[in-house]
Amino acid sequence: MRGTFRRRGAMVAAVAALSAGGLLVGTAGSASATASITLNTSSWAGVYRNHSVASGKVGVPDLAPGDSVIAVCWDRGDNVGIGNVWYRVIGERYAGNGVELFIAGWTYGGFVDGNGAFHTGAVPIC
C-alpha cells in the first residue's frame, strides 16, 4: 500500500513539478553550493515547509533509503533524535521509480545521512 501511494503521489507531484520546476532550477543556479545527498540511513525522511516537524510537509512523498535530495545549505531546527541539523533542499530524487521533483523544503539531516554532509562541510550554513 505504501509503495502504491508513493508511486501515485510521485506521479501527480511530477506533473506539477514540470510546470514549476524550471523556476526553481533557475533560482538554484544562483546558490553558491549544492550537494546531492543519498539517504544512507534506514530511516525514511519527509520534506517539510520549515526546519520543524510542526511546520507540516510540502506534499511530496517521503524519501526512502536509497533516494536522494539536492541540498543547498543547512540550519538548526527541531531535534528529532539525532541532533538538530536540517538540510534546505530544492529537489528530491526517487530511486525506485526514477522520478525527480524540484520542490523546495527542509529535511532532517539525521534521517538523510546521519548529518554527514553537515559534518564534512559538503553544504554551507544557510
Side-chain angles (χ1 to χ4, degrees):
M1 179 78 172
R2 186 174 199 163
T4 302
F5 175 74
R6 282 189 68 203
R7 285 191 298 273
R8 286 184 189 152
M11 296 310 290
V12 168
V15 173
L18 289 175
S19 61
L23 297 173
L24 289 173
V25 170
T27 59
S30 62
S32 60
T34 60
S36 178
I37 307 170
T38 301
L39 273 73
N40 62 13
T41 68
S42 60
S43 301
W44 287 57
V47 181
Y48 294 83
R49 289 183 178 89
N50 208 327
H51 36 64
S52 122
V53 175
S55 67
K57 295 181 181 177
V58 298
V60 298
D62 285 355
L63 297 147
D67 293 342
S68 60
V69 295
I70 302 168
V72 295
C73 61
W74 67 270
D75 203 353
R76 299 196 186 281
D78 284 354
N79 183 337
V80 187
I82 311 171
N84 62 355
V85 172
W86 288 70
Y87 298 131
R88 175 74 172 149
V89 299
I90 58 169
E92 304 82 24
R93 294 181 179 135
Y94 296 89
N97 57 17
V99 171
E100 184 174 65
L101 304 176
F102 294 98
I103 300 180
W106 292 85
T107 192
Y108 184 62
F111 291 164
V112 173
D113 65 345
N115 300 320
F118 159 75
H119 288 295
T120 63
V123 291
I125 190 168
C126 295

